[in-house]
Amino acid sequence: MPKSNYISSIFQSYLSDNVLANILSGASFIEKMLQFESALANCQAALNIIPKDAAQEIETVIAAIHVDADSLAESTLANGIPSIELLKQIRANLSSTSAGYLHYGATSQDVIDTAYVLMIKDSIEILEARLKTVIQSLKHHLESNKDIAIVGRTRSQQAIPLTLGIKIANWINPLIDQLNHLPTVNASVLRVQLGGAVGSLSTMEDKGQALSDLMAQKLDLKDSFPWHNDGSSIAGFTNWLTVVSASIAKIAKDILTLSQTEIGEVIENKNGGGKSSTMPHKNNPILSEAIVALAHQNIQLNAASQSSMINMNERDAVAWMAEWLSIPHLIINTGTILNHMTTIAQNMEFQTDKIKQNLQLLNGLIYSETATFELCQYYSKQEAKQKVEEACALVNHQNITLDIALQKICPEKIDWNAVFNASDQKGISNDLVAHTLKRIASI
């Protein structure tokens, strides 16, 4: 086995996905190109553009052909496209008459782009199902932990309390947004590409658009005018992949933070996570790490894909190749991320004792905002803020709790223990959780 393939195979199950890799494999690409050529001949015959017997022979040969992939690779190196050798191998099995009607009026970009779209279509079905699974898996944690008070953190520091309901709802809602956006993405990207040499389909005379529409029906794609020099639909799809990846990576980044030993509020895998070669006590959050790494890579790949929109005239192979290089990796990375997050959602565990302990870590300073608004009943907002700042300074200098410090500074008889109750800091939590559960139910 070549070294590059050997190394890749080691990380296959951790940083890749076999199901999507097969859908986007060279064999699959060849199959989709053959599907295009067969459908083209069939539809052209139906519109009397080519003879029916020629179309039937083309379809029969394509159904039985075994393509020499090595020759395809050699020809691609020589010509920059795989379609020349593919058509050569098909024609070698056709009569001289029928051979002239193969790929009639089409161009290489038509077959290559449509083949890519067909692979994208198969991939989207899997990605959509996995995204729904992730959402449903996270729903359990939302329902079970929605009322648990936890430290809210901003800019890596403890801020004020919130509920796990808010935190988990904020994990789930962006995923629902992207699921709901998917039909729009599908309508844009799952379109047949048929334009001929420069997008005018001039060889089809007045039947060009009818042929494109019929091809779309045959391939179960959307009908479309040629989009060979418009990269916006592909860019929209790769952007969707990137947003899904980054939205899940945000969850994974939270888990990486909350699972740090010093915080310890969540365990990524309660059944035992990643082990260390030298430290037996370790339970490394390896899936969250992989998710974040793959999401970062998708952001970079998406930038390359977006650049394909800046193409020249009627065909720009540089922009075209940017899509070839980025699309398969983006899809596979996203599928891997979804798989890993499903595993995490099914196995992670919140550590409620540690969560309660961390709420007390700052001797009540996380209630400074609450104290300020409580004192606004007696002082102006600025005066209340100044008094709480003085109390916070006492907490830090004398190692006392905020309620004791406030009793020293403020003459008002306030039951600060009653005021400083994390369970009362829910705010809109119940509404947000109910809204999120309603959205999940509609999926």
mmCIF file of all heavy atoms in Angstrom, residues 205-249:
data_model
loop_
_atom_site.group_PDB
_atom_site.id
_atom_site.type_symbol
_atom_site.label_atom_id
_atom_site.label_comp_id
_atom_site.label_asym_id
_atom_site.label_seq_id
_atom_site.Cartn_x
_atom_site.Cartn_y
_atom_site.Cartn_z
ATOM 1 N N GLU A 205 -30.788 23.553 -31.769
ATOM 2 C CA GLU A 205 -31.718 24.475 -32.424
ATOM 3 C C GLU A 205 -32.786 24.943 -31.436
ATOM 4 O O GLU A 205 -32.468 25.517 -30.408
ATOM 5 C CB GLU A 205 -32.305 23.823 -33.677
ATOM 6 C CG GLU A 205 -31.227 23.495 -34.714
ATOM 7 C CD GLU A 205 -31.768 22.859 -35.957
ATOM 8 O OE1 GLU A 205 -32.959 22.490 -35.985
ATOM 9 O OE2 GLU A 205 -31.001 22.720 -36.928
ATOM 10 N N ASP A 206 -34.056 24.658 -31.707
ATOM 11 C CA ASP A 206 -35.117 25.183 -30.827
ATOM 12 C C ASP A 206 -35.535 24.178 -29.749
ATOM 13 O O ASP A 206 -36.505 24.406 -29.031
ATOM 14 C CB ASP A 206 -36.338 25.597 -31.651
ATOM 15 C CG ASP A 206 -36.958 24.423 -32.405
ATOM 16 O OD1 ASP A 206 -36.287 23.371 -32.532
ATOM 17 O OD2 ASP A 206 -38.110 24.545 -32.860
ATOM 18 N N LYS A 207 -34.784 23.066 -29.617
ATOM 19 C CA LYS A 207 -35.166 22.033 -28.649
ATOM 20 C C LYS A 207 -34.250 22.003 -27.416
ATOM 21 O O LYS A 207 -34.374 21.118 -26.578
ATOM 22 C CB LYS A 207 -35.148 20.650 -29.319
ATOM 23 C CG LYS A 207 -36.183 20.513 -30.439
ATOM 24 C CD LYS A 207 -36.131 19.138 -31.063
ATOM 25 C CE LYS A 207 -37.188 19.004 -32.172
ATOM 26 N NZ LYS A 207 -37.137 17.663 -32.803
ATOM 27 N N GLY A 208 -33.386 22.959 -27.306
ATOM 28 C CA GLY A 208 -32.403 22.951 -26.238
ATOM 29 C C GLY A 208 -33.005 22.972 -24.845
ATOM 30 O O GLY A 208 -32.657 22.153 -23.993
ATOM 31 N N GLN A 209 -33.928 23.891 -24.597
ATOM 32 C CA GLN A 209 -34.488 23.982 -23.260
ATOM 33 C C GLN A 209 -35.409 22.807 -22.961
ATOM 34 O O GLN A 209 -35.461 22.321 -21.831
ATOM 35 C CB GLN A 209 -35.248 25.304 -23.074
ATOM 36 C CG GLN A 209 -35.552 25.649 -21.622
ATOM 37 C CD GLN A 209 -34.304 25.632 -20.746
ATOM 38 O OE1 GLN A 209 -33.266 26.179 -21.118
ATOM 39 N NE2 GLN A 209 -34.397 24.980 -19.588
ATOM 40 N N ALA A 210 -36.125 22.335 -23.965
ATOM 41 C CA ALA A 210 -36.977 21.153 -23.770
ATOM 42 C C ALA A 210 -36.124 19.945 -23.399
ATOM 43 O O ALA A 210 -36.506 19.134 -22.548
ATOM 44 C CB ALA A 210 -37.774 20.865 -25.041
ATOM 45 N N LEU A 211 -34.941 19.833 -24.027
ATOM 46 C CA LEU A 211 -34.033 18.734 -23.712
ATOM 47 C C LEU A 211 -33.530 18.852 -22.272
ATOM 48 O O LEU A 211 -33.504 17.863 -21.526
ATOM 49 C CB LEU A 211 -32.852 18.741 -24.681
ATOM 50 C CG LEU A 211 -31.738 17.730 -24.395
ATOM 51 C CD1 LEU A 211 -32.278 16.305 -24.464
ATOM 52 C CD2 LEU A 211 -30.571 17.922 -25.366
ATOM 53 N N SER A 212 -33.153 20.055 -21.878
ATOM 54 C CA SER A 212 -32.672 20.266 -20.517
ATOM 55 C C SER A 212 -33.749 19.911 -19.494
ATOM 56 O O SER A 212 -33.470 19.263 -18.478
ATOM 57 C CB SER A 212 -32.229 21.717 -20.331
ATOM 58 O OG SER A 212 -31.747 21.941 -19.025
ATOM 59 N N ASP A 213 -34.978 20.318 -19.770
ATOM 60 C CA ASP A 213 -36.083 20.026 -18.849
ATOM 61 C C ASP A 213 -36.326 18.525 -18.750
ATOM 62 O O ASP A 213 -36.564 17.987 -17.653
ATOM 63 C CB ASP A 213 -37.360 20.730 -19.314
ATOM 64 C CG ASP A 213 -37.269 22.245 -19.209
ATOM 65 O OD1 ASP A 213 -36.323 22.738 -18.563
ATOM 66 O OD2 ASP A 213 -38.135 22.937 -19.785
ATOM 67 N N LEU A 214 -36.275 17.841 -19.898
ATOM 68 C CA LEU A 214 -36.502 16.398 -19.909
ATOM 69 C C LEU A 214 -35.363 15.660 -19.204
ATOM 70 O O LEU A 214 -35.594 14.671 -18.490
ATOM 71 C CB LEU A 214 -36.638 15.908 -21.356
ATOM 72 C CG LEU A 214 -37.216 14.501 -21.559
ATOM 73 C CD1 LEU A 214 -38.616 14.400 -20.951
ATOM 74 C CD2 LEU A 214 -37.259 14.156 -23.048
ATOM 75 N N MET A 215 -34.135 16.152 -19.385
ATOM 76 C CA MET A 215 -32.984 15.567 -18.688
ATOM 77 C C MET A 215 -33.153 15.687 -17.175
ATOM 78 O O MET A 215 -32.846 14.756 -16.419
ATOM 79 C CB MET A 215 -31.704 16.286 -19.118
ATOM 80 C CG MET A 215 -31.172 15.850 -20.463
ATOM 81 S SD MET A 215 -30.229 14.309 -20.372
ATOM 82 C CE MET A 215 -28.763 14.861 -19.526
ATOM 83 N N ALA A 216 -33.640 16.829 -16.736
ATOM 84 C CA ALA A 216 -33.849 17.039 -15.309
ATOM 85 C C ALA A 216 -34.841 16.025 -14.756
ATOM 86 O O ALA A 216 -34.626 15.455 -13.675
ATOM 87 C CB ALA A 216 -34.343 18.459 -15.056
ATOM 88 N N GLN A 217 -35.922 15.787 -15.485
ATOM 89 C CA GLN A 217 -36.903 14.788 -15.053
ATOM 90 C C GLN A 217 -36.277 13.403 -14.999
ATOM 91 O O GLN A 217 -36.483 12.645 -14.045
ATOM 92 C CB GLN A 217 -38.096 14.782 -16.010
ATOM 93 C CG GLN A 217 -38.930 16.050 -15.997
ATOM 94 C CD GLN A 217 -40.067 15.979 -17.002
ATOM 95 O OE1 GLN A 217 -40.624 14.912 -17.271
ATOM 96 N NE2 GLN A 217 -40.424 17.122 -17.570
ATOM 97 N N LYS A 218 -35.504 13.075 -16.009
ATOM 98 C CA LYS A 218 -34.893 11.746 -16.104
ATOM 99 C C LYS A 218 -33.924 11.498 -14.946
ATOM 100 O O LYS A 218 -33.849 10.382 -14.411
ATOM 101 C CB LYS A 218 -34.151 11.631 -17.443
ATOM 102 C CG LYS A 218 -33.538 10.270 -17.720
ATOM 103 C CD LYS A 218 -34.602 9.258 -18.103
ATOM 104 C CE LYS A 218 -33.978 7.947 -18.540
ATOM 105 N NZ LYS A 218 -35.010 6.915 -18.822
ATOM 106 N N LEU A 219 -33.196 12.546 -14.545
ATOM 107 C CA LEU A 219 -32.180 12.410 -13.501
ATOM 108 C C LEU A 219 -32.695 12.801 -12.126
ATOM 109 O O LEU A 219 -31.931 12.814 -11.152
ATOM 110 C CB LEU A 219 -30.961 13.269 -13.859
ATOM 111 C CG LEU A 219 -30.215 12.860 -15.133
ATOM 112 C CD1 LEU A 219 -29.174 13.899 -15.503
ATOM 113 C CD2 LEU A 219 -29.574 11.485 -14.979
ATOM 114 N N ASP A 220 -33.978 13.138 -12.046
ATOM 115 C CA ASP A 220 -34.594 13.572 -10.789
ATOM 116 C C ASP A 220 -33.871 14.785 -10.213
ATOM 117 O O ASP A 220 -33.562 14.852 -9.020
ATOM 118 C CB ASP A 220 -34.609 12.428 -9.769
ATOM 119 C CG ASP A 220 -35.526 12.730 -8.581
ATOM 120 O OD1 ASP A 220 -36.463 13.543 -8.741
ATOM 121 O OD2 ASP A 220 -35.305 12.160 -7.492
ATOM 122 N N LEU A 221 -33.646 15.765 -11.078
ATOM 123 C CA LEU A 221 -33.045 17.030 -10.684
ATOM 124 C C LEU A 221 -33.984 18.171 -11.062
ATOM 125 O O LEU A 221 -34.985 17.959 -11.743
ATOM 126 C CB LEU A 221 -31.684 17.229 -11.371
ATOM 127 C CG LEU A 221 -30.585 16.219 -11.040
ATOM 128 C CD1 LEU A 221 -29.369 16.451 -11.922
ATOM 129 C CD2 LEU A 221 -30.196 16.284 -9.565
ATOM 130 N N LYS A 222 -33.646 19.360 -10.634
ATOM 131 C CA LYS A 222 -34.417 20.538 -11.012
ATOM 132 C C LYS A 222 -34.050 20.932 -12.438
ATOM 133 O O LYS A 222 -32.887 20.827 -12.845
ATOM 134 C CB LYS A 222 -34.131 21.712 -10.071
ATOM 135 C CG LYS A 222 -34.401 21.425 -8.603
ATOM 136 C CD LYS A 222 -35.878 21.366 -8.312
ATOM 137 C CE LYS A 222 -36.115 21.193 -6.824
ATOM 138 N NZ LYS A 222 -37.557 21.045 -6.499
ATOM 139 N N ASP A 223 -35.059 21.391 -13.219
ATOM 140 C CA ASP A 223 -34.724 21.923 -14.542
ATOM 141 C C ASP A 223 -34.059 23.283 -14.374
ATOM 142 O O ASP A 223 -34.201 23.953 -13.353
ATOM 143 C CB ASP A 223 -35.946 22.017 -15.442
ATOM 144 C CG ASP A 223 -37.095 22.784 -14.811
ATOM 145 O OD1 ASP A 223 -36.832 23.704 -14.023
ATOM 146 O OD2 ASP A 223 -38.259 22.467 -15.101
ATOM 147 N N SER A 224 -33.302 23.676 -15.367
ATOM 148 C CA SER A 224 -32.505 24.888 -15.201
ATOM 149 C C SER A 224 -31.963 25.360 -16.528
ATOM 150 O O SER A 224 -31.717 24.558 -17.440
ATOM 151 C CB SER A 224 -31.335 24.605 -14.248
ATOM 152 O OG SER A 224 -30.477 25.706 -14.148
ATOM 153 N N PHE A 225 -31.781 26.655 -16.653
ATOM 154 C CA PHE A 225 -30.952 27.175 -17.722
ATOM 155 C C PHE A 225 -29.497 26.840 -17.376
ATOM 156 O O PHE A 225 -29.170 26.565 -16.222
ATOM 157 C CB PHE A 225 -31.127 28.695 -17.857
ATOM 158 C CG PHE A 225 -32.435 29.093 -18.484
ATOM 159 C CD1 PHE A 225 -33.446 29.635 -17.716
ATOM 160 C CD2 PHE A 225 -32.643 28.921 -19.851
ATOM 161 C CE1 PHE A 225 -34.659 29.997 -18.271
ATOM 162 C CE2 PHE A 225 -33.857 29.282 -20.428
ATOM 163 C CZ PHE A 225 -34.863 29.816 -19.639
ATOM 164 N N PRO A 226 -28.596 26.854 -18.354
ATOM 165 C CA PRO A 226 -27.201 26.507 -18.070
ATOM 166 C C PRO A 226 -26.591 27.409 -16.997
ATOM 167 O O PRO A 226 -26.805 28.619 -16.989
ATOM 168 C CB PRO A 226 -26.507 26.719 -19.422
ATOM 169 C CG PRO A 226 -27.597 26.535 -20.429
ATOM 170 C CD PRO A 226 -28.828 27.100 -19.789
ATOM 171 N N TRP A 227 -25.834 26.807 -16.078
ATOM 172 C CA TRP A 227 -25.189 27.560 -15.003
ATOM 173 C C TRP A 227 -23.684 27.276 -14.968
ATOM 174 O O TRP A 227 -23.015 27.452 -13.940
ATOM 175 C CB TRP A 227 -25.807 27.215 -13.645
ATOM 176 C CG TRP A 227 -25.962 25.740 -13.349
ATOM 177 C CD1 TRP A 227 -27.022 24.953 -13.668
ATOM 178 C CD2 TRP A 227 -25.011 24.882 -12.689
ATOM 179 N NE1 TRP A 227 -26.806 23.655 -13.243
ATOM 180 C CE2 TRP A 227 -25.586 23.589 -12.638
ATOM 181 C CE3 TRP A 227 -23.755 25.080 -12.131
ATOM 182 C CZ2 TRP A 227 -24.916 22.502 -12.060
ATOM 183 C CZ3 TRP A 227 -23.086 24.011 -11.555
ATOM 184 C CH2 TRP A 227 -23.680 22.728 -11.520
ATOM 185 N N HIS A 228 -23.142 26.933 -16.142
ATOM 186 C CA HIS A 228 -21.745 26.492 -16.228
ATOM 187 C C HIS A 228 -20.736 27.547 -15.772
ATOM 188 O O HIS A 228 -19.656 27.194 -15.305
ATOM 189 C CB HIS A 228 -21.428 26.084 -17.677
ATOM 190 C CG HIS A 228 -21.652 27.173 -18.670
ATOM 191 N ND1 HIS A 228 -22.912 27.611 -18.985
ATOM 192 C CD2 HIS A 228 -20.795 27.929 -19.380
ATOM 193 C CE1 HIS A 228 -22.816 28.587 -19.869
ATOM 194 N NE2 HIS A 228 -21.551 28.804 -20.128
ATOM 195 N N ASN A 229 -21.062 28.827 -15.890
ATOM 196 C CA ASN A 229 -20.125 29.861 -15.431
ATOM 197 C C ASN A 229 -20.691 30.662 -14.257
ATOM 198 O O ASN A 229 -20.292 31.791 -13.995
ATOM 199 C CB ASN A 229 -19.744 30.805 -16.582
ATOM 200 C CG ASN A 229 -20.970 31.486 -17.186
ATOM 201 O OD1 ASN A 229 -22.107 31.146 -16.853
ATOM 202 N ND2 ASN A 229 -20.736 32.435 -18.085
ATOM 203 N N ASP A 230 -21.635 30.057 -13.539
ATOM 204 C CA ASP A 230 -22.227 30.667 -12.349
ATOM 205 C C ASP A 230 -21.973 29.730 -11.164
ATOM 206 O O ASP A 230 -22.646 28.708 -11.016
ATOM 207 C CB ASP A 230 -23.723 30.891 -12.560
ATOM 208 C CG ASP A 230 -24.432 31.399 -11.312
ATOM 209 O OD1 ASP A 230 -23.739 31.736 -10.327
ATOM 210 O OD2 ASP A 230 -25.678 31.454 -11.314
ATOM 211 N N GLY A 231 -21.010 30.091 -10.334
ATOM 212 C CA GLY A 231 -20.641 29.227 -9.214
ATOM 213 C C GLY A 231 -21.440 29.478 -7.951
ATOM 214 O O GLY A 231 -21.148 28.887 -6.905
ATOM 215 N N SER A 232 -22.475 30.303 -8.027
ATOM 216 C CA SER A 232 -23.173 30.710 -6.800
ATOM 217 C C SER A 232 -23.929 29.560 -6.140
ATOM 218 O O SER A 232 -24.004 29.483 -4.909
ATOM 219 C CB SER A 232 -24.125 31.871 -7.095
ATOM 220 O OG SER A 232 -25.110 31.504 -8.043
ATOM 221 N N SER A 233 -24.495 28.661 -6.939
ATOM 222 C CA SER A 233 -25.260 27.564 -6.333
ATOM 223 C C SER A 233 -24.344 26.590 -5.595
ATOM 224 O O SER A 233 -24.662 26.138 -4.487
ATOM 225 C CB SER A 233 -26.075 26.826 -7.398
ATOM 226 O OG SER A 233 -25.229 26.216 -8.357
ATOM 227 N N ILE A 234 -23.201 26.279 -6.197
ATOM 228 C CA ILE A 234 -22.227 25.423 -5.517
ATOM 229 C C ILE A 234 -21.695 26.122 -4.271
ATOM 230 O O ILE A 234 -21.555 25.511 -3.194
ATOM 231 C CB ILE A 234 -21.061 25.064 -6.462
ATOM 232 C CG1 ILE A 234 -21.555 24.186 -7.624
ATOM 233 C CG2 ILE A 234 -19.952 24.353 -5.692
ATOM 234 C CD1 ILE A 234 -22.065 22.829 -7.222
ATOM 235 N N ALA A 235 -21.418 27.402 -4.388
ATOM 236 C CA ALA A 235 -20.921 28.157 -3.240
ATOM 237 C C ALA A 235 -21.956 28.196 -2.123
ATOM 238 O O ALA A 235 -21.606 28.127 -0.937
ATOM 239 C CB ALA A 235 -20.548 29.573 -3.669
ATOM 240 N N GLY A 236 -23.227 28.298 -2.490
ATOM 241 C CA GLY A 236 -24.284 28.281 -1.480
ATOM 242 C C GLY A 236 -24.340 26.950 -0.750
ATOM 243 O O GLY A 236 -24.557 26.900 0.473
ATOM 244 N N PHE A 237 -24.124 25.868 -1.488
ATOM 245 C CA PHE A 237 -24.127 24.536 -0.874
ATOM 246 C C PHE A 237 -22.935 24.356 0.050
ATOM 247 O O PHE A 237 -23.089 23.895 1.195
ATOM 248 C CB PHE A 237 -24.116 23.462 -1.963
ATOM 249 C CG PHE A 237 -23.894 22.071 -1.450
ATOM 250 C CD1 PHE A 237 -24.782 21.496 -0.548
ATOM 251 C CD2 PHE A 237 -22.793 21.342 -1.859
ATOM 252 C CE1 PHE A 237 -24.574 20.208 -0.061
ATOM 253 C CE2 PHE A 237 -22.580 20.055 -1.388
ATOM 254 C CZ PHE A 237 -23.465 19.493 -0.484
ATOM 255 N N THR A 238 -21.747 24.728 -0.405
ATOM 256 C CA THR A 238 -20.577 24.552 0.445
ATOM 257 C C THR A 238 -20.641 25.484 1.660
ATOM 258 O O THR A 238 -20.120 25.142 2.727
ATOM 259 C CB THR A 238 -19.265 24.789 -0.331
ATOM 260 O OG1 THR A 238 -19.223 26.133 -0.840
ATOM 261 C CG2 THR A 238 -19.148 23.802 -1.484
ATOM 262 N N ASN A 239 -21.284 26.621 1.495
ATOM 263 C CA ASN A 239 -21.469 27.502 2.653
ATOM 264 C C ASN A 239 -22.406 26.854 3.666
ATOM 265 O O ASN A 239 -22.197 26.951 4.880
ATOM 266 C CB ASN A 239 -22.032 28.846 2.199
ATOM 267 C CG ASN A 239 -21.972 29.887 3.292
ATOM 268 O OD1 ASN A 239 -20.912 30.243 3.768
ATOM 269 N ND2 ASN A 239 -23.126 30.367 3.723
ATOM 270 N N TRP A 240 -23.446 26.177 3.179
ATOM 271 C CA TRP A 240 -24.361 25.458 4.076
ATOM 272 C C TRP A 240 -23.602 24.386 4.853
ATOM 273 O O TRP A 240 -23.761 24.248 6.075
ATOM 274 C CB TRP A 240 -25.500 24.833 3.286
ATOM 275 C CG TRP A 240 -26.492 24.090 4.127
ATOM 276 C CD1 TRP A 240 -27.559 24.604 4.800
ATOM 277 C CD2 TRP A 240 -26.503 22.676 4.399
ATOM 278 N NE1 TRP A 240 -28.236 23.614 5.477
ATOM 279 C CE2 TRP A 240 -27.622 22.422 5.249
ATOM 280 C CE3 TRP A 240 -25.704 21.610 4.010
ATOM 281 C CZ2 TRP A 240 -27.927 21.141 5.706
ATOM 282 C CZ3 TRP A 240 -26.010 20.332 4.465
ATOM 283 C CH2 TRP A 240 -27.114 20.115 5.296
ATOM 284 N N LEU A 241 -22.766 23.634 4.154
ATOM 285 C CA LEU A 241 -21.958 22.613 4.827
ATOM 286 C C LEU A 241 -21.089 23.231 5.915
ATOM 287 O O LEU A 241 -20.959 22.687 7.021
ATOM 288 C CB LEU A 241 -21.059 21.906 3.810
ATOM 289 C CG LEU A 241 -21.727 21.038 2.750
ATOM 290 C CD1 LEU A 241 -20.708 20.608 1.706
ATOM 291 C CD2 LEU A 241 -22.410 19.829 3.368
ATOM 292 N N THR A 242 -20.523 24.381 5.608
ATOM 293 C CA THR A 242 -19.627 25.036 6.552
ATOM 294 C C THR A 242 -20.379 25.564 7.766
ATOM 295 O O THR A 242 -19.895 25.462 8.904
ATOM 296 C CB THR A 242 -18.869 26.176 5.848
ATOM 297 O OG1 THR A 242 -18.213 25.658 4.691
ATOM 298 C CG2 THR A 242 -17.835 26.802 6.772
ATOM 299 N N VAL A 243 -21.558 26.123 7.548
ATOM 300 C CA VAL A 243 -22.348 26.632 8.668
ATOM 301 C C VAL A 243 -22.800 25.483 9.573
ATOM 302 O O VAL A 243 -22.761 25.590 10.801
ATOM 303 C CB VAL A 243 -23.549 27.448 8.163
ATOM 304 C CG1 VAL A 243 -24.473 27.837 9.317
ATOM 305 C CG2 VAL A 243 -23.076 28.706 7.444
ATOM 306 N N VAL A 244 -23.232 24.375 8.967
ATOM 307 C CA VAL A 244 -23.596 23.206 9.772
ATOM 308 C C VAL A 244 -22.391 22.730 10.585
ATOM 309 O O VAL A 244 -22.492 22.480 11.793
ATOM 310 C CB VAL A 244 -24.121 22.064 8.867
ATOM 311 C CG1 VAL A 244 -24.256 20.765 9.660
ATOM 312 C CG2 VAL A 244 -25.470 22.437 8.265
ATOM 313 N N SER A 245 -21.252 22.632 9.935
ATOM 314 C CA SER A 245 -20.035 22.167 10.610
ATOM 315 C C SER A 245 -19.658 23.093 11.758
ATOM 316 O O SER A 245 -19.345 22.628 12.872
ATOM 317 C CB SER A 245 -18.875 22.102 9.614
ATOM 318 O OG SER A 245 -19.164 21.233 8.548
ATOM 319 N N ALA A 246 -19.675 24.386 11.490
ATOM 320 C CA ALA A 246 -19.270 25.350 12.515
ATOM 321 C C ALA A 246 -20.270 25.403 13.661
ATOM 322 O O ALA A 246 -19.891 25.591 14.825
ATOM 323 C CB ALA A 246 -19.104 26.734 11.885
ATOM 324 N N SER A 247 -21.559 25.230 13.359
ATOM 325 C CA SER A 247 -22.578 25.236 14.413
ATOM 326 C C SER A 247 -22.377 24.063 15.365
ATOM 327 O O SER A 247 -22.548 24.198 16.588
ATOM 328 C CB SER A 247 -23.980 25.178 13.798
ATOM 329 O OG SER A 247 -24.231 26.326 13.005
ATOM 330 N N ILE A 248 -22.019 22.910 14.814
ATOM 331 C CA ILE A 248 -21.755 21.750 15.657
ATOM 332 C C ILE A 248 -20.418 21.907 16.381
ATOM 333 O O ILE A 248 -20.267 21.506 17.540
ATOM 334 C CB ILE A 248 -21.792 20.466 14.818
ATOM 335 C CG1 ILE A 248 -23.223 20.231 14.308
ATOM 336 C CG2 ILE A 248 -21.304 19.261 15.623
ATOM 337 C CD1 ILE A 248 -23.372 19.067 13.385
ATOM 338 N N ALA A 249 -19.445 22.524 15.706
ATOM 339 C CA ALA A 249 -18.149 22.746 16.343
ATOM 340 C C ALA A 249 -18.272 23.698 17.524
ATOM 341 O O ALA A 249 -17.490 23.602 18.479
ATOM 342 C CB ALA A 249 -17.152 23.300 15.324
#
